[in-house]
Amino acid sequence: MKLYLKIWRQLNASAKGEMVNYEIDRVSEHMSFLEMLDLLNESLIQKKERVIEFDHDCREGICGQCGVVINGRAHGPLKNTTTCQLHMRSFKDGDTIYIEPFRAKAFPVLRDLKIDRSAFDSIIEAGGFIGASTGQAPEANSIPISYETAEASFDAAACIGCGACVATCKNASAALFVGAKITHLALLPQGKIEASKRVLTMVDQMDSAGFGNCSNTGACEIECPQGISILSIAKMNAEYSKALIFRK
Ligand code: FES
């Protein structure tokens, strides 16, 4: 199929960017969205033009590195799908597709579609470590965890840190990301020892990294490729309030 692409080009963080028009032919419906961009880049290389830079790594929906805004939606039109797992069969011959980077004050554009997500890393770093015994894995029944709790923790742990929640939020809030990380550990006995300190430092770092406040629009939950629930934000707020009461 033939497609008309309007892609954000920006040389570096301080340069002024603009949408640039491209036409691409012979796109197979079986290609992933990133493979379609690879095909476009091959044609740019042949013309000795600068390639379009974009983030990616696993291309299996696991690492959270990919992520662009496609026709106004973070990761494109499909629910629970990362950009790398989106296939061109979701588009029609002759379509015009707008492709832009995730935009947020805390995610500066490095070049074209590449953004700096190190603000997320700083939040994780602020959370520190969890206390766990060394040595062999303990006998499973020595730390009873209910099925429901284990599942809820695992659901939160599924967050891949792609930043779609921030990109889609009108406040550029990172509450879903931080909520998922807080919930994942707060539910498990292994994460309880440092729970108060962790939630306080992570939320403080989220605020100082330049993310906006959550106003419960729920847009993050809709665009999250891992289906993280906004209940994790409620859990984060509850943990934060509890930690404030017992803050020394
Ligand atoms: S490239 Fe790893 S999630 Fe898309």
Side-chain angles (χ1 to χ4, degrees), residues 129-138 143 185 189-194 198:
F129 53 85
I130 64 158
S133 302
T134 56
Q136 289 187 328
I143 310 175
L185 291 172
Q190 294 90 339
K192 284 253 186 316
I193 306 169
E194 305 86 3
R198 180 170 53 244

Short mmCIF file of all heavy atoms in Angstrom, two decimals, residues 129-138 143 185 189-194 198:
data_model
loop_
_atom_site.label_atom_id
_atom_site.label_comp_id
_atom_site.label_asym_id
_atom_site.label_seq_id
_atom_site.Cartn_x
_atom_site.Cartn_y
_atom_site.Cartn_z
N PHE A 129 16.28 0.51 47.00
CA PHE A 129 16.26 -0.95 46.94
C PHE A 129 15.18 -1.51 47.87
O PHE A 129 14.62 -0.78 48.67
CB PHE A 129 17.64 -1.51 47.34
CG PHE A 129 18.11 -0.99 48.66
CD1 PHE A 129 17.71 -1.60 49.85
CD2 PHE A 129 18.92 0.14 48.74
CE1 PHE A 129 18.12 -1.11 51.07
CE2 PHE A 129 19.34 0.62 49.97
CZ PHE A 129 18.94 0.01 51.13
N ILE A 130 14.93 -2.83 47.76
CA ILE A 130 14.06 -3.47 48.76
C ILE A 130 14.90 -4.45 49.57
O ILE A 130 15.86 -5.04 49.06
CB ILE A 130 12.86 -4.21 48.12
CG1 ILE A 130 13.31 -5.39 47.25
CG2 ILE A 130 11.97 -3.29 47.37
CD1 ILE A 130 12.23 -6.42 47.05
N GLY A 131 14.55 -4.58 50.82
CA GLY A 131 15.25 -5.52 51.69
C GLY A 131 14.79 -6.94 51.39
O GLY A 131 13.59 -7.21 51.36
N ALA A 132 15.68 -7.83 51.13
CA ALA A 132 15.35 -9.24 50.89
C ALA A 132 16.51 -10.08 51.38
O ALA A 132 17.67 -9.67 51.26
CB ALA A 132 15.09 -9.49 49.41
N SER A 133 16.19 -11.23 51.95
CA SER A 133 17.24 -12.10 52.47
C SER A 133 18.09 -12.62 51.33
O SER A 133 17.59 -12.89 50.23
CB SER A 133 16.62 -13.27 53.23
OG SER A 133 15.82 -12.78 54.27
N THR A 134 19.38 -12.76 51.60
CA THR A 134 20.24 -13.39 50.60
C THR A 134 20.20 -14.90 50.78
O THR A 134 19.55 -15.40 51.68
CB THR A 134 21.69 -12.88 50.74
OG1 THR A 134 22.10 -13.15 52.08
CG2 THR A 134 21.79 -11.41 50.44
N GLY A 135 20.89 -15.58 49.94
CA GLY A 135 20.93 -17.04 50.04
C GLY A 135 19.92 -17.68 49.12
O GLY A 135 19.44 -17.06 48.18
N GLN A 136 19.59 -18.94 49.44
CA GLN A 136 18.69 -19.68 48.56
C GLN A 136 17.27 -19.12 48.62
O GLN A 136 16.89 -18.45 49.59
CB GLN A 136 18.66 -21.14 49.00
CG GLN A 136 19.96 -21.87 48.68
CD GLN A 136 19.85 -23.33 48.97
OE1 GLN A 136 19.14 -23.72 49.89
NE2 GLN A 136 20.55 -24.14 48.19
N ALA A 137 16.50 -19.37 47.58
CA ALA A 137 15.10 -18.95 47.57
C ALA A 137 14.39 -19.60 48.75
O ALA A 137 14.59 -20.79 49.01
CB ALA A 137 14.44 -19.37 46.26
N PRO A 138 13.60 -18.80 49.51
CA PRO A 138 12.92 -19.40 50.68
C PRO A 138 11.84 -20.39 50.26
O PRO A 138 11.35 -20.36 49.12
CB PRO A 138 12.29 -18.18 51.36
CG PRO A 138 12.17 -17.15 50.29
CD PRO A 138 13.27 -17.41 49.30
N ILE A 143 6.20 -17.65 53.11
CA ILE A 143 5.70 -16.27 52.95
C ILE A 143 4.36 -16.34 52.22
O ILE A 143 4.29 -16.21 51.00
CB ILE A 143 6.67 -15.40 52.14
CG1 ILE A 143 8.10 -15.51 52.67
CG2 ILE A 143 6.23 -13.93 52.15
CD1 ILE A 143 9.14 -14.76 51.85
N LEU A 185 5.26 -3.01 44.61
CA LEU A 185 6.05 -3.39 45.78
C LEU A 185 5.25 -3.27 47.08
O LEU A 185 5.47 -4.05 48.01
CB LEU A 185 7.32 -2.54 45.85
CG LEU A 185 8.34 -2.86 44.75
CD1 LEU A 185 9.47 -1.86 44.76
CD2 LEU A 185 8.87 -4.27 44.89
N PRO A 189 5.03 -8.60 50.77
CA PRO A 189 5.76 -8.49 52.04
C PRO A 189 7.21 -8.07 51.85
O PRO A 189 7.75 -7.30 52.66
CB PRO A 189 5.66 -9.90 52.64
CG PRO A 189 5.04 -10.77 51.63
CD PRO A 189 4.43 -9.92 50.56
N GLN A 190 7.82 -8.49 50.73
CA GLN A 190 9.23 -8.13 50.51
C GLN A 190 9.42 -6.62 50.33
O GLN A 190 10.50 -6.11 50.55
CB GLN A 190 9.78 -8.84 49.24
CG GLN A 190 9.86 -10.33 49.35
CD GLN A 190 8.59 -11.01 48.89
OE1 GLN A 190 7.53 -10.41 48.83
NE2 GLN A 190 8.70 -12.29 48.57
N GLY A 191 8.38 -5.94 49.90
CA GLY A 191 8.52 -4.51 49.65
C GLY A 191 8.07 -3.64 50.81
O GLY A 191 8.13 -2.41 50.74
N LYS A 192 7.60 -4.27 51.89
CA LYS A 192 6.96 -3.50 52.97
C LYS A 192 7.98 -2.74 53.83
O LYS A 192 7.68 -1.67 54.35
CB LYS A 192 6.17 -4.46 53.87
CG LYS A 192 4.86 -4.93 53.25
CD LYS A 192 3.69 -4.26 53.94
CE LYS A 192 2.33 -4.76 53.51
NZ LYS A 192 2.09 -4.96 52.12
N ILE A 193 9.19 -3.29 53.97
CA ILE A 193 10.14 -2.71 54.93
C ILE A 193 10.42 -1.24 54.61
O ILE A 193 10.42 -0.38 55.49
CB ILE A 193 11.48 -3.50 54.94
CG1 ILE A 193 11.21 -4.98 55.19
CG2 ILE A 193 12.43 -2.93 55.98
CD1 ILE A 193 12.42 -5.87 54.96
N GLU A 194 10.64 -0.96 53.33
CA GLU A 194 11.00 0.42 52.94
C GLU A 194 9.82 1.17 52.33
O GLU A 194 10.00 2.21 51.68
CB GLU A 194 12.13 0.40 51.90
CG GLU A 194 13.39 -0.34 52.32
CD GLU A 194 13.32 -1.82 52.02
OE1 GLU A 194 12.31 -2.26 51.43
OE2 GLU A 194 14.26 -2.54 52.38
N ARG A 198 9.98 4.78 50.43
CA ARG A 198 9.94 4.66 48.97
C ARG A 198 8.86 5.57 48.37
O ARG A 198 9.12 6.32 47.43
CB ARG A 198 9.67 3.20 48.57
CG ARG A 198 9.60 3.00 47.06
CD ARG A 198 9.59 1.52 46.68
NE ARG A 198 8.57 0.78 47.38
CZ ARG A 198 8.81 -0.21 48.24
NH1 ARG A 198 10.02 -0.58 48.50
NH2 ARG A 198 7.81 -0.83 48.84
#
